[in-house]
Amino acid sequence: MVSVQFILAIGEVFIFTFNSYIFEKADFYTMSLSHALITDLYEFSMANGYFETLPRDTEAVFDVFYRTVPDNGSFVVSAGLEQVVEQLRGFHYTKEDIDYLKSLKLFSAEFISYLETMTFDCVVYAIPEGTPVFPRVPILTVKGPLIQCQLLETFVLNLINHQSLIATKSRRINLAAAGRPVMEFGARRAQGPDASVLGARAAVIGGCGSTSNVLSAAKYNIPVAGTMAHAWVQSYPTELEAFEKWAEIYPDNALLLVDTYDVLTSGVPNAIKVFKELRAKGHKKFGIRIDSGDIAKLSRKARKMMDDAGFPEATITASNALNENVIDSLLQEGAPLDSFGVGEQLITSSSSPVLSGVFKLAALKIGDGEWQPKIKLSNSKEKVTLPGEKKAYRLYHKGTKNAFADVIALADESLPEEFVGINMDPMMTETEANLKDFDAVLLTQVVVGPKAKSIETDTFKIQKHMYEKLAELPEETQRLLNPDRYPVYLTPALADLQAKMIKDHKL
Amino acid sequence: MVSVQFILAIGEVFIFTFNSYIFEKADFYTMSLSHALITDLYEFSMANGYFETLPRDTEAVFDVFYRTVPDNGSFVVSAGLEQVVEQLRGFHYTKEDIDYLKSLKLFSAEFISYLETMTFDCVVYAIPEGTPVFPRVPILTVKGPLIQCQLLETFVLNLINHQSLIATKSRRINLAAAGRPVMEFGARRAQGPDASVLGARAAVIGGCGSTSNVLSAAKYNIPVAGTMAHAWVQSYPTELEAFEKWAEIYPDNALLLVDTYDVLTSGVPNAIKVFKELRAKGHKKFGIRIDSGDIAKLSRKARKMMDDAGFPEATITASNALNENVIDSLLQEGAPLDSFGVGEQLITSSSSPVLSGVFKLAALKIGDGEWQPKIKLSNSKEKVTLPGEKKAYRLYHKGTKNAFADVIALADESLPEEFVGINMDPMMTETEANLKDFDAVLLTQVVVGPKAKSIETDTFKIQKHMYEKLAELPEETQRLLNPDRYPVYLTPALADLQAKMIKDHKL
């Protein structure tokens, strides 16, 4: 167990990285390192430490949940589970992964050989993708050997945080578009290749109908969308010729980009000429895309020009730095827009680019002992964790599909028919509610482990599930600005356990 | 050339995606699709259209540049080139890529077979990674067959935009840390797996000394950092026992996380007990990490407690939602911090999560004809592109390493010894400057093509280059808040060409 100090000279400043290790050889670059190494070092350090200092049969329960909704919304649309399950089903370290871990000289030989031969024994419970999930409700729970659970933290959070963030942003943008198709156009501004591919998938889960990203379309069976960029128009002697050449090649797909030179004096008049030629040949689908300038003003004028020319069926697509607020404002102003291409602001959720989901220890069991609930304290009320293995339910008014609250209970209690729910939202004045006359539906299913159900992997079926679950929520929780808070209650048993543990630790 | 209309039922709303294509089979999921498909559909549509309607030997020049600096800074630190070069050197479409493209029924059989057998003939010029680059200066230029250039747009932008964004954010955070080590801790909040791995690489280019991300560390030979999470402390009966077990396993790496229960009443006193035990055994490196609460107040009190206990050498690391502003403010307040772990705000550049780099056509040549300069107009002055094949230079005061301006020239002009530079920044009142007594250094090198130089791939050598190039810039351009604008001039020949082309298109 030797820690390698590392001293790095940068210009004339010597920087001493207190706690860093550097690998001696640089030849891993081209080797078969696996995604299982997308793990913070401390997961391995802790796992090695557990291995050395705790009984080998120590088991744990960890919950993934989040506290704050991006963009001041009231819920997050869960996504990313398919990639988590994919990763966990084949979970192992490659020979190169192991060689690298050995090279760090941080871990015992026994622990390394445990990693080499590890069979993955955890059970994972998760809320299906596309479900609206409220703060503090476990989206995913891992139960199994402490060491294995710990090793999952980083990449599980990475996948769930990222895709849930983008699905949530997409839901907002699609809500603003009010039924008009939204195309995901963000590949060039996504944060890396995966973010473009997985982000497009998440965008569809949140409501988009298509993507421009060919790889994502191919992998996730998503309709692929897009026509021309400015370079097309520039590559021909005149804009009219560029449009005519396009119409020759794609006569049933003439969505012409009209803002390369000037929308109203050049783009739209040239487009109308081409529409006439196409109509004369029997084609029936025409449209323009506006990618700059004042979209409201330009689209109104373009609409009138196309209507006056006898093309009321020609559509107008808007793009250029759109988000839910811009789309909402354009439509409020009456801009005659038929569809939207949304790029950077969707694919990065740029107004709120982080979902801070966490992975917190909830219970521990050593050997044949009892499960011990575990808690993380904080001066901030909302940062105190919920101890113990838990189950979450959505409560519906009896006999209806109208949800009115979620409830988190201890896993071993059966939900009473009537009880006083404790509201954990520190911002709510109503701290308790008498809950009765409800149907309770368990939110999670087993997705990895002996009783695992296969999860839905059809992206559009997940989108459909999202719309169905959304329709069950109170409408006021769904609005873009200042949505009403939807309550998440604890059962008295869970609330009492948390209160007792806070008290015990304060002694 | 059949376009497939696609009608999708979502709940009870029928959405008609005007311009979308869906693949009939869903079996590509597990197949060997390649990153070459991370391409907006329209790149393929345009390439197919060029193939059908323009001479096959049409050549083009495209420039990658950006207009707006994230976080209101004055420059971007370029990054991502290594991944661009890697992708381009082996550029081809797999059999599965081709099968998918065929299935879209959008492209001619001849074009598909061109893609199948395509040999990549472009020359790519680029500014080395780690160079501070100013708005409008081409970071990368692609010259070659129009079709091939067009197909590169999306993934080149994806790689350059993402990593340059993170490198730039990292530079800001490291500037605020004023020489104290910054560890990249963001894997769990990065936008997907690639963003965690490539983002950590970019963070090192921008100045970080280590990462917690094991895969990125292994691939890019970066020191890997990190000790324990709250789960470690919770997994033992008491905090003291957790610390003691840690010290047993990692006696030379005792950076103890002190905020699981209470920093000052529990965490620091327990840490001091463990430091005493370690010192008694001859160990000499101790430290604490504070991950919540008021870091300034807590670190001051913890410092005093450790000093009073005889551990002035024990370090204090801060983490928890840090960015350049928080770090700067903590240090201004005199918080006694030795190093920082920076997570979500660095790995997503959360205050400014998009770098809007673009890929714009600058010139076109058909067969043996002349190179024709190309322009994209806009009502917004800064959105008008620079026509023609160009070269960019950094100007230094003669005989010094002090840079004072960049100049963009036409590729075929030699830079005069003295000339009037035209400032293209629309916000500057000084629109011209007499430039003389300078040394001009070309910013780009050939990175793909017959005369390609091998690029630097040692991440810390790229970081060193960044610090060297930074030191050449005026100090006032480097500050975090309201940096001075560094001028980028055009030569008279380039400015005249642009003016003439704007005039021509307005006719």
Side-chain angles (χ1 to χ4, degrees):
Chain A
M1 226 59 44
V2 183
S3 78
V4 181
Q5 290 186 17
F6 176 71
I7 294 172
L8 173 68
I10 291 169
E12 300 181 28
V13 185
F14 276 83
I15 289 184
F16 172 59
T17 66
F18 173 64
N19 206 37
S20 298
Y21 305 88
I22 195 162
F23 180 55
E24 294 97 11
K25 291 176 291 173
D27 58 357
F28 279 101
Y29 184 77
T30 53
M31 295 176 78
S32 303
L33 295 160
S34 79
H35 270 202
L37 280 199
I38 298 182
T39 306
D40 289 311
L41 176 69
Y42 75 10
E43 319 288 9
F44 285 107
S45 311
M46 287 189 278
N48 175 68
Y50 297 144
F51 188 83
E52 297 290 316
T53 64
L54 288 176
R56 298 283 156 88
D57 52 359
T58 301
E59 303 226 317
V61 172
F62 282 84
D63 294 318
V64 172
F65 61 94
Y66 74 93
R67 300 181 187 105
T68 309
V69 187
D71 284 315
N72 297 312
S74 76
F75 60 84
V76 150
V77 175
S78 71
L81 183 61
E82 180 177 345
Q83 286 64 43
V84 169
V85 170
E86 210 175 90
Q87 171 81 337
L88 292 184
R89 286 200 182 136
F91 197 83
H92 74 287
Y93 298 98
T94 64
K95 186 184 171 307
E96 285 77 12
D97 295 345
I98 295 289
D99 287 347
Y100 177 73
L101 292 172
K102 277 183 194 165
S103 77
L104 294 176
K105 299 191 173 64
L106 274 173
F107 313 121
S108 72
E110 296 73 27
F111 175 67
I112 294 276
S113 80
Y114 168 82
L115 293 180
E116 260 177 312
T117 56
M118 192 174 97
T119 55
F120 185 69
D121 297 323
C122 295
V123 176
V124 180
Y125 306 81
I127 295 179
E129 287 191 274
T131 306
V133 182
F134 295 90
R136 286 173 290 279
V137 174
I139 296 173
L140 186 145
T141 296
V142 186
K143 185 177 183 177
L146 170 63
I147 291 172
Q148 297 190 2
C149 294
Q150 190 71 65
L151 292 171
L152 307 186
E153 175 170 11
T154 309
F155 78 78
V156 166
L157 287 177
N158 175 285
L159 292 167
I160 299 284
N161 279 333
H162 168 232
Q163 288 196 56
S164 300
L165 176 74
I166 307 304
T168 303
K169 186 67 172 181
S170 172
R171 203 280 310 180
R172 295 176 63 80
I173 290 170
N174 280 279
L175 181 68
R180 292 166 186 80
V182 176
M183 299 173 268
E184 187 287 306
F185 267 14
R188 69 195 52 197
R189 306 276 162 77
Q191 296 195 354
D194 279 346
S196 77
V197 176
L198 298 173
R201 173 184 186 271
V204 171
I205 290 175
C208 286
S210 58
T211 179
S212 64
N213 187 320
V214 179
L215 182 55
S216 194
K219 281 188 91 150
Y220 302 113
N221 207 25
I222 301 169
V224 56
T227 54
M228 69 177 69
H230 297 114
W232 176 270
V233 179
Q234 294 171 282
S235 291
Y236 294 82
T238 64
E239 186 181 55
L240 180 62
E241 194 171 326
F243 288 175
E244 286 175 336
K245 290 292 183 194
W246 188 268
E248 213 175 88
I249 306 289
Y250 305 112
D252 293 309
N253 195 16
L255 186 70
L256 304 170
L257 179 63
V258 292
D259 71 329
T260 306
Y261 304 118
D262 187 89
V263 174
L264 299 175
T265 66
S266 170
V268 176
N270 283 331
I272 289 171
K273 282 180 202 159
V274 173
F275 297 163
K276 286 182 180 162
E277 293 164 16
L278 281 168
R279 184 183 275 167
K281 291 179 191 157
H283 301 288
K284 288 176 179 165
K285 281 178 66 193
F286 321 108
I288 61 170
R289 177 162 73 96
I290 305 175
D291 187 47
S292 60
D294 187 311
I295 304 275
K297 188 176 77 181
L298 293 172
S299 65
R300 263 195 301 268
K301 293 192 174 172
R303 180 75 276 158
K304 184 160 190 317
M305 289 163 78
M306 296 196 297
D307 288 350
D308 289 352
F311 293 95
E313 75 276 38
T315 59
I316 306 181
T317 298
S319 48
N320 189 26
L322 301 179
N323 62 21
E324 65 271 39
N325 300 324
V326 177
I327 290 175
D328 187 56
S329 146
L330 285 169
L331 295 178
Q332 293 289 341
E333 250 196 271
L337 300 169
D338 301 286
S339 66
F340 302 95
V342 183
E344 61 191 45
Q345 306 227 16
L346 167 55
I347 205 68
T348 64
S349 186
S350 74
S351 53
S352 205
V354 175
L355 175 61
S356 302
V358 293
F359 184 93
K360 291 292 180 190
L361 181 65
L364 200 75
K365 183 168 83 76
I366 298 194
D368 294 332
E370 296 272 295
W371 277 101
Q372 309 157 29
K374 293 287 175 178
I375 196 166
K376 153 85 178 79
L377 299 187
S378 171
N379 290 329
S380 159
K381 193 176 169 187
E382 72 168 2
K383 283 199 155 188
V384 178
T385 62
L386 294 172
E389 188 178 359
K390 297 170 292 291
K391 279 184 179 167
Y393 300 86
R394 187 146 293 172
L395 302 191
Y396 296 82
H397 292 297
K398 203 169 190 70
T400 75
K401 289 222 158 191
N402 303 321
F404 67 95
D406 286 3
V407 168
I408 311 177
L410 287 166
D412 57 8
E413 65 175 326
S414 43
L415 209 59
E417 280 199 12
E418 178 173 351
F419 64 99
V420 176
I422 317 298
N423 194 331
M424 285 307 292
D425 184 340
M427 302 301 285
M428 298 281 272
T429 49
E430 185 228 42
T431 56
E432 293 185 358
N434 196 39
L435 303 170
K436 58 181 178 179
D437 300 328
F438 57 75
D439 297 328
V441 176
L442 191 64
L443 282 167
T444 51
Q445 62 182 61
V446 180
V447 296
V448 175
K451 292 178 180 172
K453 292 176 193 153
S454 62
I455 61 165
E456 182 58 65
T457 58
D458 180 312
T459 315
F460 282 97
K461 284 192 183 151
I462 299 170
Q463 187 194 64
K464 186 164 171 280
H465 171 78
M466 186 277 294
Y467 278 112
E468 284 166 4
K469 292 289 137 187
L470 215 52
E472 296 174 356
L473 297 179
E475 215 168 314
E476 57 271 24
T477 64
Q478 299 182 44
R479 83 171 75 95
L480 292 178
L481 201 61
N482 295 326
D484 198 27
R485 284 163 179 261
Y486 173 96
V488 176
Y489 298 108
L490 308 188
T491 59
L494 176 55
D496 288 351
L497 175 65
Q498 193 198 38
K500 183 180 170 299
M501 290 189 72
I502 293 174
K503 209 175 141 210
D504 287 353
H505 278 285
K506 291 286 180 199
L507 289 179
Chain B
M1 227 57 46
V2 182
S3 77
V4 181
Q5 291 186 16
F6 176 70
I7 294 173
L8 173 68
I10 292 172
E12 297 182 28
V13 186
F14 276 83
I15 289 185
F16 172 59
T17 66
F18 174 64
N19 205 37
S20 299
Y21 304 89
I22 194 162
F23 180 55
E24 295 98 10
K25 291 176 292 170
D27 59 357
F28 279 102
Y29 183 78
T30 52
M31 295 176 76
S32 305
L33 296 159
S34 79
H35 271 202
L37 279 199
I38 298 183
T39 307
D40 289 312
L41 177 69
Y42 74 11
E43 318 288 8
F44 285 107
S45 309
M46 287 189 280
N48 175 67
Y50 297 143
F51 189 84
E52 298 291 315
T53 65
L54 289 175
R56 297 283 157 91
D57 52 359
T58 302
E59 302 225 320
V61 172
F62 282 84
D63 294 319
V64 172
F65 61 94
Y66 74 92
R67 298 180 188 107
T68 309
V69 187
D71 284 316
N72 297 311
S74 76
F75 61 83
V76 151
V77 174
S78 71
L81 183 61
E82 179 177 344
Q83 286 65 42
V84 169
V85 170
E86 208 175 275
Q87 172 80 337
L88 291 183
R89 286 200 179 136
F91 197 81
H92 74 287
Y93 298 98
T94 63
K95 187 185 171 305
E96 285 78 12
D97 294 345
I98 296 289
D99 287 347
Y100 177 73
L101 292 171
K102 275 183 194 164
S103 77
L104 294 175
K105 299 191 172 65
L106 275 171
F107 313 121
S108 73
E110 295 73 25
F111 175 67
I112 295 276
S113 82
Y114 168 81
L115 293 181
E116 260 177 312
T117 56
M118 192 174 101
T119 55
F120 185 69
D121 297 322
C122 295
V123 176
V124 179
Y125 306 81
I127 295 181
E129 287 190 272
T131 307
V133 183
F134 294 90
R136 286 174 289 278
V137 173
I139 298 174
L140 187 145
T141 295
V142 186
K143 184 176 183 178
L146 171 62
I147 292 173
Q148 296 189 2
C149 294
Q150 190 71 65
L151 290 172
L152 307 188
E153 175 171 11
T154 309
F155 78 76
V156 167
L157 287 177
N158 175 286
L159 292 168
I160 299 285
N161 280 334
H162 168 231
Q163 287 194 56
S164 300
L165 177 72
I166 307 303
T168 304
K169 187 67 172 179
S170 172
R171 203 280 310 179
R172 295 175 64 80
I173 289 170
N174 280 279
L175 182 66
R180 292 165 187 81
V182 176
M183 299 173 267
E184 187 288 305
F185 267 14
R188 68 194 54 196
R189 307 277 162 75
Q191 296 195 355
D194 279 347
S196 77
V197 177
L198 298 174
R201 173 184 186 273
V204 171
I205 291 176
C208 286
S210 59
T211 179
S212 64
N213 187 320
V214 179
L215 182 55
S216 194
K219 280 187 92 151
Y220 301 112
N221 207 24
I222 301 168
V224 56
T227 54
M228 68 178 70
H230 297 115
W232 176 269
V233 179
Q234 294 171 284
S235 291
Y236 295 81
T238 65
E239 188 181 54
L240 180 61
E241 194 171 329
F243 287 175
E244 286 175 335
K245 290 293 183 192
W246 188 268
E248 213 174 274
I249 306 292
Y250 305 111
D252 292 308
N253 194 16
L255 187 69
L256 304 170
L257 179 62
V258 292
D259 72 330
T260 305
Y261 304 118
D262 187 89
V263 173
L264 299 175
T265 66
S266 170
V268 176
N270 283 330
I272 289 172
K273 283 180 203 162
V274 173
F275 296 164
K276 286 181 181 164
E277 293 163 15
L278 282 168
R279 184 181 277 168
K281 289 178 192 158
H283 301 288
K284 289 177 179 164
K285 280 178 66 194
F286 321 107
I288 60 170
R289 178 163 73 96
I290 305 175
D291 187 47
S292 59
D294 187 310
I295 304 273
K297 189 176 76 181
L298 292 173
S299 64
R300 264 196 300 265
K301 292 192 175 174
R303 181 73 275 157
K304 183 158 190 317
M305 289 164 77
M306 296 195 298
D307 288 350
D308 290 352
F311 292 94
E313 75 277 36
T315 59
I316 306 180
T317 298
S319 49
N320 188 30
L322 301 179
N323 62 21
E324 66 271 39
N325 300 324
V326 177
I327 290 175
D328 188 54
S329 147
L330 285 170
L331 295 178
Q332 294 288 342
E333 250 194 90
L337 299 170
D338 301 286
S339 66
F340 302 96
V342 183
E344 62 190 42
Q345 305 226 17
L346 167 56
I347 205 70
T348 64
S349 186
S350 74
S351 53
S352 205
V354 175
L355 174 63
S356 302
V358 294
F359 185 94
K360 292 290 182 191
L361 181 65
L364 201 74
K365 182 168 84 78
I366 298 194
D368 295 331
E370 297 271 295
W371 278 100
Q372 309 157 29
K374 293 288 176 177
I375 196 166
K376 153 85 179 79
L377 299 187
S378 171
N379 290 327
S380 160
K381 191 175 170 187
E382 71 167 1
K383 283 197 155 189
V384 178
T385 62
L386 294 172
E389 187 178 0
K390 298 170 293 288
K391 278 184 180 168
Y393 301 86
R394 185 147 295 171
L395 302 190
Y396 297 81
H397 293 297
K398 203 171 191 71
T400 75
K401 289 223 156 190
N402 304 320
F404 67 94
D406 285 3
V407 167
I408 311 176
L410 288 166
D412 56 8
E413 63 175 329
S414 43
L415 209 58
E417 279 199 13
E418 177 173 352
F419 64 99
V420 175
I422 316 297
N423 194 332
M424 284 307 291
D425 184 341
M427 303 301 286
M428 298 283 272
T429 47
E430 184 229 44
T431 56
E432 293 184 359
N434 196 39
L435 303 171
K436 59 179 179 180
D437 300 328
F438 56 76
D439 297 327
V441 176
L442 191 63
L443 282 167
T444 50
Q445 62 182 63
V446 179
V447 296
V448 174
K451 292 179 182 171
K453 291 175 194 154
S454 63
I455 61 166
E456 182 57 67
T457 58
D458 179 314
T459 314
F460 281 97
K461 284 191 184 152
I462 298 170
Q463 187 195 62
K464 185 162 172 282
H465 173 79
M466 187 277 295
Y467 279 112
E468 285 166 5
K469 290 289 137 187
L470 214 54
E472 296 174 356
L473 297 180
E475 214 168 316
E476 56 271 23
T477 64
Q478 299 182 43
R479 80 170 78 95
L480 293 177
L481 202 61
N482 296 326
D484 198 28
R485 284 161 179 261
Y486 174 97
V488 176
Y489 299 106
L490 307 187
T491 59
L494 177 55
D496 288 351
L497 175 65
Q498 192 197 39
K500 181 180 170 300
M501 289 189 72
I502 293 174
K503 207 175 143 209
D504 285 353
H505 277 285
K506 292 286 179 201
L507 291 177

